Amino acid sequence: ATTLGASAAASGRYFGTAVAAYKLSDSTYSGILNREFNSVTPENEMKWDATEPTQGQFSYGSADQIVARAKSIGAKVRGHALAWHSQQPGWAQNLSGTALRSAMLNHVTQVATHYKGQIDSWDVVNEAFADGSSGARRDSNLQRTGNDWIEAAFRAARAADPAAKLCYNDYNTDGQNAKSNAVFAMVQDFKSRGVPIDCVGFQSHFNAQSPLPSDYQANLQRFANLGVDVQITELDIEGSGAAQATSFAAATRACLAVTRCNGITVWGIRDSDSWRASGTPLLFDGSGNKKAAYESVLAAL
Ligand code: XIL
């Protein structure tokens, strides 16, 4: 096939991108989106600060625009993210204890209900583990409501939208390390106790300090072996030229080698769309031209 989405679909997978609603009117951006991708993740529009800026008052306009575009091009939607320590509205940042727990669960229920039946996979909980060697949970206002906040969020999401796949999503978990071991133990525990979890997302933001790990495929496989799907959810790789193309192809091949790796999402379309302050970490240049990295991914799919 001649596009990322169609090539991924040939092996039953999707190839997606993060999308910003305000860019949908940019014809270069939209043209590439409509042509190449069969999954979209709202880059910011489904986050807590965007969807519930005032407690109990929900705001879905921008996210709905992205979902409508996805529908019109036959793309899946990855919902991102229901419960996260970052990008919380100010009112939530000021809550704690049972008030915060109830507000979080209500948020999960309301947003998952609004999008019921329209989301392929939800990042129910994002980035809940600490970096480094502790294997501990990240300290956050949500964590301080009790260690069971993650499973409570997953149960609320399942009740609201039983058809959506429910994912745990994180970064620096791409290879085997203390952080991914801790996530692994949580998924194992959830599976053994019947807590609803269907997938694990690996953000896969790579750069010189944090390159594509040599055990990436093995790590994806060990999670898949627990009985969950695995997804590459926010892929970007700093660099340029042949070296960057080689890394993008290796990441793509790692997913394809794992039966339960059912999709890859890059975190933006053109280099100029990247969340990174500088660099050229994506598949299209600032003018929307295909880079070597694009060609290597297409060839690997
Ligand atoms: C980023 C967005 O790309 C930026 O536009 C925003 O300013 C900050 O968040 N991990 C995640 C994503 O799960 O939600 C983040 O997205 C990138 C890191």
Side-chain angles (χ1 to χ4, degrees):
T2 58
T3 67
L4 300 170
S7 300
S11 73
R13 293 177 172 84
Y14 66 76
F15 203 100
T17 179
V19 167
Y22 76 91
K23 292 178 183 165
L24 290 172
S25 56
D26 172 333
S27 61
T28 304
Y29 182 87
S30 257
I32 300 171
L33 169 62
N34 298 355
R35 183 184 77 224
E36 295 287 343
F37 297 97
N38 59 0
S39 175
V40 304
T41 306
E43 185 170 358
N44 291 295
E45 292 79 353
M46 286 188 181
K47 293 172 182 175
W48 199 349
D49 60 353
T51 48
E52 196 180 3
T54 302
Q55 186 166 18
Q57 293 184 20
F58 290 83
S59 142
Y60 296 116
S62 306
D64 285 353
Q65 267 186 271
I66 296 174
V67 172
R69 170 64 64 90
K71 199 162 292 177
S72 78
I73 64 174
K76 297 179 190 297
V77 180
R78 290 196 85 263
H80 175 81
L82 291 170
W84 188 25
H85 69 277
S86 187
Q87 291 180 269
Q88 294 183 359
W91 64 265
Q93 294 177 38
N94 291 329
L95 292 181
S96 63
T98 54
L100 176 60
R101 175 68 71 98
S102 313
M104 180 274 285
L105 292 176
N106 182 58
H107 181 77
V108 170
T109 300
Q110 296 298 323
V111 176
T113 299
H114 179 80
Y115 290 108
K116 182 178 178 176
Q118 301 180 81
I119 305 294
D120 177 73
S121 302
W122 260 118
D123 289 332
V124 178
V125 170
N126 197 31
E127 302 182 350
F129 282 82
D131 290 317
S133 59
S134 69
R137 294 284 183 84
R138 173 193 297 276
D139 179 48
S140 72
N141 60 344
L142 292 169
Q143 180 62 27
R144 291 190 290 273
T145 70
N147 205 51
D148 62 342
W149 73 276
I150 298 181
E151 63 194 83
F154 274 85
R155 291 189 200 279
R158 178 70 96 222
D161 186 358
K165 289 188 223 174
L166 306 182
C167 303
Y168 176 78
N169 190 55
D170 214 328
Y171 67 91
N172 283 352
T173 50
D174 313 297
Q176 302 198 32
N177 56 41
K179 186 175 178 180
S180 67
N181 287 347
V183 175
F184 185 86
M186 179 187 74
V187 175
Q188 204 168 32
D189 172 55
F190 281 12
K191 292 302 261 182
S192 75
R193 290 191 296 114
V195 177
I197 184 167
D198 307 301
C199 38
V200 177
F202 298 84
Q203 291 186 10
S204 306
H205 295 293
F206 299 126
N207 57 26
Q209 288 70 45
S210 167
L212 182 78
S214 56
D215 60 357
Y216 192 45
Q217 180 186 326
N219 191 49
L220 297 175
Q221 186 65 60
R222 73 168 173 151
F223 277 86
N225 291 345
L226 292 176
V228 290
D229 286 347
V230 295
Q231 304 176 355
I232 298 175
T233 54
E234 305 183 11
L235 181 63
D236 52 23
I237 307 179
E238 268 300 346
S240 62
Q244 181 183 46
T246 299
S247 294
F248 263 106
T252 303
R253 280 195 303 268
C255 179
L256 265 69
V258 176
T259 306
R260 291 198 72 156
C261 183
N262 67 314
I264 301 174
T265 297
V266 287
W267 205 242
I269 297 179
R270 302 162 297 193
D271 286 334
S272 51
D273 298 315
S274 174
W275 69 304
R276 291 181 183 277
S278 65
T280 54
L282 294 170
L283 301 180
F284 296 86
D285 71 17
S287 306
N289 301 307
K290 297 169 178 175
K291 294 167 56 182
Y294 170 95
E295 301 296 353
S296 72
V297 168
L298 187 67
L301 282 168

